[in-house]
Amino acid sequence: MKHDHPPSTPAASCPAPDAAPTPAPDAPVYMGLPHERILRPRLSVAAALSLPVLVLAMGPMLAPHTFHALPTHLSAWTQLVLTTPVFFWCGAYFIRRWWTSLRDRDTNMFTLTVTGTGAAYFYSVFAVLFGQKFPPAFLTVHGVPLYFEATAFITTIVLLGQILEQRAHARTDAAIRALIALAPPTAHRLTADGREEAVPLSAIHPGDQLRVRPGEHVPVDGSVTTGTSDLDESMLTGEPLPVTKRPGDPVSAGTLNTTGSVVFRAERVGADTLLAQIVRLVEAAQNSEAPIARLADRVSAFFVPAVAALAALTFAAWFFFGPEPRFLYALLNAVAVLIIACPCALGLATPVSLVTAIGRGAQAGVLVKDAAALERLASATTLLIDKTGTLTAGRPRVVALAPTASFPFAQLSSLNSQLSRADALLALAAAAESPSEHPLARAIVAAARERRLALPPITAFSATPGLGVRARVDHHDVVISRAPDSDHPDPVPGATVVCVLVDGQLAGTLALEDTIKPTTPAALAELRRLGFQIIMVTGDRTAAARVIAEKLSLDGFHADTAPATKQALVHVHQSRGERVVFAGDGLNDAPALAAADVGIAMGTGTDVALHSAGLVLVKGDLTALVRAVHLARATLRNIKQNLFWAFAYNLLGLPLAAGAFYPFTGWLLHPMFAGVAMSLSSLTVVANALRLRRVRL
């Protein structure tokens, strides 16, 4: 077992929001494309215009008796009119990326798709205008073959895929906004004459004395000067129990003051606070995320130049050595090479699989926010996992009762004489704690309710931050406070122990701990079988972390970790060549969730964690993580199969399209066969992707 701390990574520089120039409305935000709000109207128009084009193109082949009365030239001109805005307006940004890729000699998916859709579009326009001059070998029973539907349909599908990716990429802003919202907009500053004034955060300077009332968030970092209170620091540690703060103790911006009123001295303000550092860590991790390794782009890098060279060679061969009319044969066969090489199914291969997988995941309690996370999860090797709320329930429970042997419970008239000594101790403690909102108090009351214990009447109650509660229970003074470790050893290793005193006499102790979720052991066992190394990362103390790690037989653990340390641990494992998954539920997990190859948040966690993660487990149950891994691996296999079929039909037709067999057999690629190849590849891809709806998880 290990619990050493790696060195923290330096915070990334974060310019002030007002220093950033206002981007143009159509400025690139991802993959060289503008924001999805610019693309959405174009997708709507593309879908509305592509549907009638598809009907007009496929109708005569699928239902010839229905379309026999429609004049061929009217159908052709209608397809031309409808497809033109789809290609030039809806696909305008794809054309820009196509031109940029040619100019920079950096071929990618856009190079491949726009080359193919452009060839299909301009060939079809040429066929509408000059189809009567085509050689008989290029004509069909329906006249001149057109490919407007390929242009319109591919453009629409690629638009849909890019919008899906943009929505996943946009989660960065939501996470950062949720983090910034934790700091209150104003603070209560004490003046030299003792007055209290409300000032904006920008007016606070180091050395100012600030008051934080119960229920308020701490505005900046500092140290307590006056007062005692319990602060909820779960945003930093992930632990649900409030931490008692006394004069001299540090406080951090964004933490919640739960009980008393304290005055503290401001020490770090603005961009120097720990909350601001967490914001920068999340922002830097999101911005430095490596681009997705796109298989389509890697294929395009050599496929596009090869096809272009083959098309040029085909044109030259037919122009110099072909029969008359040489130019027309050369042009049509060169275009046939470009059309048959255009993998129409490429636009479908990834989006259809991902959309189907996202739907299947939702049925299994896995919400996929970042589709690319599925690809990365399929090859992940290491799971770094938070403890509280992830491995454990995140709520303390009474796990042991130790009544003092000499205490006379039978003399307390309000208690049922039939109660065991342990139940009597629990009933007393629950009665005293019943008015309190402290997590430990709620756990004690819940334990009494589970045992259906009748609580004695309470006539007075007071709570002192950091010291416990005092109550008048059936004419007896009952005090409950945390027990010092040296005086009361843990009856359960790693548990929190509280003492119950009645009229100054120790009645017994209660041990509380955060229990492991019932489904956790089986889920971890399956993840190990799938090849994961599992390491716990928690802000809890070492003793409690060691107990959980030993119970679950984890591969290691890190305790007392701050948000920056958790993120640093992710980077340490990534530097070893490991594909890292981080699973957590707290604000303190946000930097690590953002930095990991795959961030997985519990659906019961904080908004910041949900925004920073790529996957969300709806019920916060680790069995859903097992299902997510199975889904990711099935999806990646499916995408690879789709990409194979997207190219297979087209590659087989390339020699025929180029006219390689013409000197020996007189065969030329009939344009209808090019259309059939496109349709078959698309249908194969869609049918294969739909298999994910029935995949076993």
Side-chain angles (χ1 to χ4, degrees):
M1 296 291 180
K2 57 182 178 180
H3 48 272
D4 54 307
H5 298 168
S8 298
T9 55
S13 60
C14 183
D18 56 357
T22 302
D26 62 346
V29 297
Y30 183 65
M31 290 297 294
L33 301 178
H35 196 277
E36 63 158 315
R37 66 174 174 268
I38 303 285
L39 300 180
R40 281 199 306 267
R42 296 172 187 253
L43 175 62
S44 300
V45 172
L49 297 181
S50 297
L51 182 59
V53 171
L54 195 62
V55 171
L56 289 172
M58 297 298 180
M61 291 182 287
L62 301 177
H65 297 294
T66 304
F67 287 84
H68 75 281
L70 182 65
T72 303
H73 69 280
L74 178 60
S75 174
W77 279 99
T78 303
Q79 292 180 57
L80 170 58
V81 170
L82 294 176
T83 304
T84 298
V86 175
F87 181 68
F88 285 105
W89 186 72
C90 301
Y93 295 105
F94 302 155
I95 296 174
R96 291 186 192 178
R97 290 284 288 117
W98 171 81
W99 174 248
T100 302
S101 68
L102 295 182
R103 184 191 62 198
D104 298 341
R105 298 179 182 178
D106 179 23
T107 54
N108 51 47
M109 187 188 75
F110 297 108
T111 319
L112 191 59
T113 54
V114 175
T115 298
T117 56
Y121 174 79
F122 288 108
Y123 157 79
S124 300
V125 172
F126 183 81
V128 170
L129 298 176
F130 307 105
Q132 67 276 10
K133 298 183 181 297
F134 277 29
F138 289 91
L139 301 179
T140 72
V141 294
H142 300 289
V144 180
L146 304 175
Y147 299 105
F148 287 120
E149 82 284 357
T151 299
F153 191 58
I154 294 172
T155 301
T156 303
I157 289 297
V158 174
L159 261 174
L160 173 63
Q162 293 304 308
I163 288 175
L164 289 176
E165 290 194 16
Q166 285 231 1
R167 288 184 177 179
H169 188 72
R171 73 186 191 278
T172 304
D173 292 339
I176 293 174
R177 284 196 303 270
L179 280 168
I180 294 174
L182 289 172
T186 60
H188 308 293
R189 184 169 61 187
L190 301 181
T191 62
D193 57 4
R195 291 185 299 106
E196 189 175 301
E197 59 180 359
V199 296
L201 289 188
S202 58
I204 298 175
H205 303 285
D208 287 348
Q209 295 288 321
L210 307 174
R211 182 184 300 280
V212 184
R213 301 188 179 100
E216 294 181 341
H217 285 86
V218 177
V220 298
D221 293 358
S223 57
V224 177
T225 57
T226 306
T228 302
S229 183
D230 287 343
L231 266 66
D232 181 352
E233 294 188 332
S234 58
M235 61 161 283
L236 300 177
T237 65
E239 300 308 306
L241 299 181
V243 178
T244 301
K245 297 292 183 180
R246 300 182 178 87
D249 290 340
V251 293
S252 299
T255 55
L256 177 65
N257 183 27
T258 61
T259 53
S261 175
V262 296
V263 176
F264 73 97
R265 180 178 61 255
E267 295 176 350
R268 293 183 298 277
V269 302
D272 296 328
T273 66
L274 183 57
L275 178 61
Q277 293 177 31
I278 295 176
V279 171
R280 289 197 294 271
L281 287 171
V282 173
E283 190 175 48
Q286 294 279 16
N287 291 337
S288 64
E289 186 177 30
I292 304 166
R294 297 172 176 272
L295 183 56
D297 286 352
R298 296 200 296 269
V299 172
S300 300
F302 67 86
F303 188 75
V304 171
V307 169
L310 180 59
L313 181 61
T314 299
F315 182 89
W318 280 93
F319 184 77
F320 291 108
F321 306 108
E324 293 292 347
R326 292 183 178 181
F327 176 78
L328 195 55
Y329 270 108
L331 178 63
L332 292 177
N333 282 290
V335 171
V337 169
L338 293 175
I339 292 176
I340 196 65
C342 172
C344 300
L346 180 65
L348 293 168
T350 301
V352 173
S353 291
L354 291 177
V355 169
T356 307
I358 289 170
R360 181 67 182 92
Q363 294 175 348
V366 179
L367 298 184
V368 181
K369 297 175 56 191
D370 180 359
L374 281 176
E375 176 190 352
R376 295 192 293 268
L377 180 59
S379 57
T381 58
T382 300
L383 172 62
L384 301 182
I385 190 166
D386 179 48
K387 177 180 77 70
T388 306
T390 306
L391 293 171
T392 65
R395 297 182 301 274
R397 290 176 55 86
V398 176
V399 292
L401 298 165
T404 302
S406 60
F407 186 79
F409 286 101
Q411 296 180 12
L412 301 179
S413 59
S414 60
L415 293 176
N416 187 335
S417 59
Q418 301 299 318
L419 289 178
S420 65
R421 296 178 63 81
D423 283 349
L425 173 65
L426 180 58
L428 274 176
E433 293 279 19
S434 58
S436 175
E437 291 300 317
H438 194 281
L440 291 181
R442 292 197 295 269
I444 293 172
V445 173
R449 287 175 179 168
E450 287 178 5
R451 299 192 183 200
R452 298 182 179 179
L453 300 179
L455 303 186
I458 177 173
T459 56
F461 173 83
S462 63
T464 304
L467 298 178
V469 301
R470 178 183 296 273
R472 188 73 176 170
V473 181
D474 190 24
H475 310 296
H476 297 276
D477 287 327
V478 178
V479 176
I480 300 179
S481 61
R482 292 197 190 187
D485 293 340
S486 57
D487 296 342
H488 300 276
D490 292 356
V492 177
T496 298
V497 180
V498 297
C499 295
V500 181
L501 289 88
V502 180
D503 297 330
Q505 183 179 353
L506 180 66
T509 60
L510 290 79
L512 300 94
E513 71 171 358
D514 191 4
T515 56
I516 296 172
K517 292 179 181 178
T519 56
T520 294
L524 295 183
E526 177 64 12
L527 289 170
R528 289 191 198 94
R529 190 189 70 80
L530 292 172
F532 280 88
Q533 174 189 205
I534 304 173
I535 299 173
M536 183 174 67
V537 182
T538 178
D540 203 355
R541 55 198 176 100
T542 300
R546 180 178 289 108
V547 170
I548 298 295
E550 290 176 351
K551 283 183 178 179
L552 295 175
S553 301
L554 302 180
D555 296 308
F557 73 91
H558 299 268
D560 298 312
T561 54
T565 309
K566 290 188 176 185
Q567 190 186 66
L569 282 167
V570 171
H571 293 313
V572 167
H573 285 277
Q574 287 173 330
S575 67
R576 299 171 184 166
E578 301 171 17
R579 213 84 186 270
V580 178
V581 177
F582 191 96
D585 71 332
L587 183 151
N588 62 313
D589 299 320
L593 287 167
D597 295 291
V598 183
I600 297 180
M602 302 296 111
T604 53
T606 63
D607 289 343
V608 177
L610 299 180
H611 288 312
S612 300
L615 301 178
V616 176
L617 308 183
V618 177
K619 295 183 179 180
D621 190 334
L622 286 181
T623 56
L625 175 53
V626 175
R627 294 193 290 270
V629 174
H630 286 299
L631 178 64
R633 295 184 179 181
T635 302
L636 186 60
R637 285 195 306 269
N638 194 270
I639 290 174
K640 290 181 177 179
Q641 293 164 0
N642 284 350
L643 290 172
F644 169 79
W645 289 113
F647 286 101
Y649 289 105
N650 309 76
L651 288 173
L652 291 174
L654 275 176
L656 188 60
F661 302 111
Y662 183 79
F664 313 105
T665 63
W667 292 350
L668 286 176
L669 178 66
H670 198 290
M672 183 59 68
F673 292 122
V676 170
M678 288 185 187
S679 301
L680 283 177
S681 59
S682 298
L683 289 173
T684 303
V685 162
V686 171
N688 188 54
L690 291 178
R691 293 192 306 114
L692 288 171
R693 296 167 59 183
R694 299 184 300 274
V695 67
R696 294 186 60 183
L697 303 179

